[in-house]
Amino acid sequence: MTVTEKTVTEKTGARTEEAADLITGARERIDALDDRIIGLVQERMAVSAVIQEARISSGGRRVNLSREMEVLGHFRDALGKPGTALAMTLLELCRGRI
């Protein structure tokens, strides 16, 4: 095994350069998607802060549990059980600690 082949295998887990090239390209796409997801989560956090501020300034509570249940159901319906965990994490990020 050449040094290049060893590097390809270690870096991607692939056994051929063709597979390594495919994996490398797919990973670059995943990295770009992750960056977009992070940006969307940050945008969601900012919008949520606006909603919370409006609710609090009007005398309401910071968190609306019925709305959170809607969000949980939406994610569960779209993604199954793991979607619920994802939604819980997202809600925690957006509302902060209760």
Side-chain angles (χ1 to χ4, degrees):
M1 182 179 284
T2 68
V3 172
T4 302
E5 289 171 337
K6 185 176 181 182
T7 302
V8 165
T9 301
E10 288 175 356
K11 189 170 184 178
T12 65
R15 303 228 180 231
T16 67
E17 273 197 57
E18 182 179 275
D21 289 344
L22 179 74
I23 291 167
T24 299
R27 284 181 177 171
E28 289 171 359
R29 178 85 172 114
I30 285 174
D31 290 344
L33 289 167
D34 287 346
D35 288 342
R36 288 174 50 199
I37 291 167
I38 290 166
L40 289 170
V41 169
Q42 291 170 331
E43 183 178 349
R44 190 187 195 286
M45 291 169 68
V47 172
S48 182
V50 169
I51 292 168
Q52 288 177 44
E53 179 60 34
R55 193 180 296 120
I56 290 168
S57 67
S58 72
R61 300 181 68 172
R62 182 167 57 103
V63 175
N64 181 329
L65 294 179
S66 64
R67 172 62 180 151
E68 289 197 356
M69 294 305 295
E70 289 177 21
V71 172
L72 290 169
H74 180 68
F75 274 74
R76 182 189 60 245
D77 292 347
L79 303 171
K81 187 176 179 182
T84 303
L86 178 60
M88 286 297 295
T89 299
L90 188 58
L91 289 169
E92 183 179 348
L93 282 168
C94 290
R95 70 166 127 74
R97 302 184 129 227
I98 296 179

